[in-house]
Amino acid sequence: MLFAAFLIATLLNYEGTVIFPNDDPTGLIGILDSSNVFHRCILTSEAGSIRTQPGDRVEVLENPRYDWMHFNRYILSLRVTGHGPAYAFKPVSAAQVNSGNVPSRLVSVTGTVHDIYRDDADNRFIFAVINSGSESVLWASACGLDNDSDIPNLIGSTVKVNGSVSYDRHSAHRNCGNYLWSVSLSNLIVLSPPRHLGTGIAHPRCQSE
């Protein structure tokens, strides 16, 4: 009874703007509420099969709770009420992300891809190591890719990555520290491809400028 009362008491109802739309099968979505608090959420079946776009204004019913020692935010209801411009990510350096000294939690980093690989703890996600200035930053994203051969070969590419500055210990055998979190490969934007790929977009799931 007390546990049920706790769950009811922690239901949140708020309005916000979609930063990262749910465009991958993982059901993840990123929303900035009207108080400028960022919510990294999981869409439940109760929320329906609604698809969102960056800049959508939404009304949300959320249940934040712990599952297996992890804190998650579950969206029970989501309604699109309007649409505005996509969020303008604040450009920062890799050093600022690594130090945690960032002017905004929602940022972008420009640099060169040093490595890109599937998460060994949860294969629904990929990591990219971005060299920027004198330091590197880790970018993590849901990928929705079934085969390792589908992971984009972007090593050597100049890219811009958008994400939410996060600090997570993903598993008992790996501590990521500060990194950039995203929802899909659409937030990895190829500015110039690596030489071994010639010209054009390196992977159809990645945007190009």
Side-chain angles (χ1 to χ4, degrees), residues 95-119:
Q96 285 176 292
V97 173
N98 293 334
S99 70
N101 181 25
V102 289
S104 171
R105 189 176 177 184
L106 296 167
V107 302
S108 67
V109 172
T110 298
T112 303
V113 178
H114 175 75
D115 199 4
I116 186 166
Y117 52 91
R118 190 181 293 276
D119 183 359

Side-chain angles (χ1 to χ4, degrees), residues 26 28 40 70 115-128 138-148 151 168-176 179 181-182 185:
T26 52
L28 294 170
R40 166 177 160 174
H70 293 283
D115 199 4
I116 186 166
Y117 52 91
R118 190 181 293 276
D119 183 359
D120 61 351
D122 188 340
N123 63 13
R124 298 174 302 163
F125 297 85
I126 64 168
F127 287 128
L138 189 66
W139 180 81
S141 176
C143 63
L145 303 174
D146 296 324
N147 303 309
D148 287 348
I151 295 176
D168 274 346
R169 186 178 180 88
H170 278 276
S171 63
H173 66 280
R174 184 182 62 246
N175 189 345
C176 294
Y179 72 102
W181 175 87
S182 182
L185 290 176

Side-chain angles (χ1 to χ4, degrees), residues 38-209:
F38 180 71
H39 298 248
R40 166 177 160 174
C41 301
I42 300 170
L43 277 172
T44 66
S45 57
E46 289 91 340
S49 58
I50 186 170
R51 284 291 180 182
T52 58
Q53 299 178 11
D56 277 350
R57 297 188 181 93
V58 292
E59 186 176 276
V60 180
L61 179 64
E62 177 191 306
N63 176 206
R65 66 175 187 260
Y66 280 93
D67 291 320
W68 297 97
M69 304 297 290
H70 293 283
F71 180 73
N72 291 311
R73 297 176 178 272
Y74 292 93
I75 291 182
L76 306 179
S77 174
L78 179 72
R79 184 171 70 92
V80 177
T81 60
H83 186 76
Y87 185 85
F89 291 87
K90 178 73 174 179
V92 299
S93 67
Q96 285 176 292
V97 173
N98 293 334
S99 70
N101 181 25
V102 289
S104 171
R105 189 176 177 184
L106 296 167
V107 302
S108 67
V109 172
T110 298
T112 303
V113 178
H114 175 75
D115 199 4
I116 186 166
Y117 52 91
R118 190 181 293 276
D119 183 359
D120 61 351
D122 188 340
N123 63 13
R124 298 174 302 163
F125 297 85
I126 64 168
F127 287 128
V129 180
I130 311 297
N131 291 340
S132 178
S134 60
E135 297 192 23
S136 297
V137 67
L138 189 66
W139 180 81
S141 176
C143 63
L145 303 174
D146 296 324
N147 303 309
D148 287 348
S149 60
D150 291 331
I151 295 176
N153 184 7
L154 297 176
I155 296 175
S157 299
T158 300
V159 300
K160 179 175 72 174
V161 290
N162 299 323
S164 166
V165 179
S166 303
Y167 183 92
D168 274 346
R169 186 178 180 88
H170 278 276
S171 63
H173 66 280
R174 184 182 62 246
N175 189 345
C176 294
N178 290 314
Y179 72 102
L180 290 182
W181 175 87
S182 182
V183 166
S184 77
L185 290 176
S186 63
N187 287 289
L188 188 157
I189 301 162
V190 179
L191 303 177
S192 62
R195 293 178 181 177
H196 65 271
L197 291 180
T199 59
I201 301 174
H203 191 276
R205 296 291 299 282
C206 298
Q207 292 182 0
S208 178
E209 280 191 347

